Amino acid sequence: MANFWTTSDNNAITTTGEFTSGGGTIENIPDNTTCLAMIDEAGLAEYQGDEYISLRWVIAEPAIYKGRKVFQKVRVFDVDTKKADKAKKMLMAIDANCGGKLAQSDESPNDTAMAKALLHKPMLIKVMVWEMNDRTGNWVASVAPRKGAVATTETPVVIDEGIHADVPW
C-alpha cells in the first residue's frame, strides 16, 4: 500500500505549515444573461431557523460560462406569505419545465421527490447579479422552457439545434 502522504508523481509531501491553492476571483455572470442550465443538486436546507429549498444550477451554454454554478434559495416556507407564494410559483415553473412531477402531489416536496423530478433537466434561466455588504454573486431571476425560446436581441445565439435564446453579453 502506498503512503497516503505521497503525491501522484511519487514524491513525499513536506510542509512549512503554509499552503496556497491558487485560483483567483471569479467574475459574476453579467446581469440579465440568459443561460441554458440544469439543476444538479436539489434539497431541503435550513440556516438559522430559515428553511428553504436549495437548488444548484450548472450552466451548459453559453460556452464561456459552461460548468459555472449558480445557487438558488427557493423560500417556499417563508413566514411572509407573499414571498412564500412567489417562491412556490417559481418552484412550480421549474417543475413544469422538468415534467411536472412535483405538482402531481399535494405534499411539500422532500429531498427524494426533488431529486427524481428536478435533476438534469435543461431549461433557460435568466441570471442576475446581487450585491450586499461589499459582496456580489449571481441569482436566478426567471426560468423558461428550453424549447420554443424566442430571440429578443438582434444577434440570437443558437444553444441547440434550431433553438435561440436572448443572450445579452
Side-chain angles (χ1 to χ4, degrees):
M1 178 187 262
N3 183 332
F4 175 78
W5 299 107
T6 302
T7 61
S8 59
D9 57 0
N10 215 21
N11 291 316
I13 298 173
T14 60
T15 186
T16 62
E18 295 181 19
F19 176 76
T20 302
S21 63
T25 304
I26 297 175
E27 293 295 320
N28 291 318
I29 297 170
D31 226 17
N32 259 338
T33 300
T34 300
C35 299
L36 179 66
M38 62 188 84
I39 297 167
D40 70 346
E41 284 185 9
L44 297 172
E46 183 267 331
Y47 180 73
Q48 296 182 343
D50 180 23
E51 189 177 11
Y52 54 89
I53 292 173
S54 178
L55 303 177
R56 185 175 79 177
W57 296 85
V58 62
I59 306 298
E61 292 284 341
I64 191 170
Y65 304 118
K66 186 174 183 162
R68 294 277 300 271
K69 310 289 185 185
V70 178
F71 298 88
Q72 182 179 17
K73 292 180 180 179
V74 186
R75 299 179 185 279
V76 296
F77 307 110
D78 199 296
V79 293
D80 181 332
T81 56
K82 290 189 187 301
K83 289 180 182 178
D85 290 346
K86 188 175 179 181
K88 287 177 185 177
K89 290 176 183 178
M90 171 63 86
L91 182 61
M92 179 71 80
I94 293 167
D95 180 52
N97 291 326
C98 293
K101 291 182 178 150
L102 294 180
Q104 294 174 3
S105 170
D106 291 338
E107 303 294 320
S108 174
N110 60 34
D111 291 344
T112 303
M114 286 187 283
K116 287 180 181 177
L118 304 180
L119 298 187
H120 311 295
K121 312 276 191 336
M123 69 187 80
L124 299 176
I125 63 172
K126 175 133 337 191
V127 177
M128 303 292 282
V129 176
W130 58 262
E131 297 180 25
M132 186 184 317
N133 301 329
D134 297 324
R135 296 180 64 200
T136 63
N138 287 120
W139 63 283
V140 177
S142 64
V143 299
R146 175 183 185 182
K147 296 190 184 319
V150 178
T152 57
T153 62
E154 293 179 5
T155 55
V157 174
V158 176
I159 58 174
D160 198 5
E161 295 177 327
I163 300 171
H164 298 80
D166 171 22
V167 282
W169 57 82

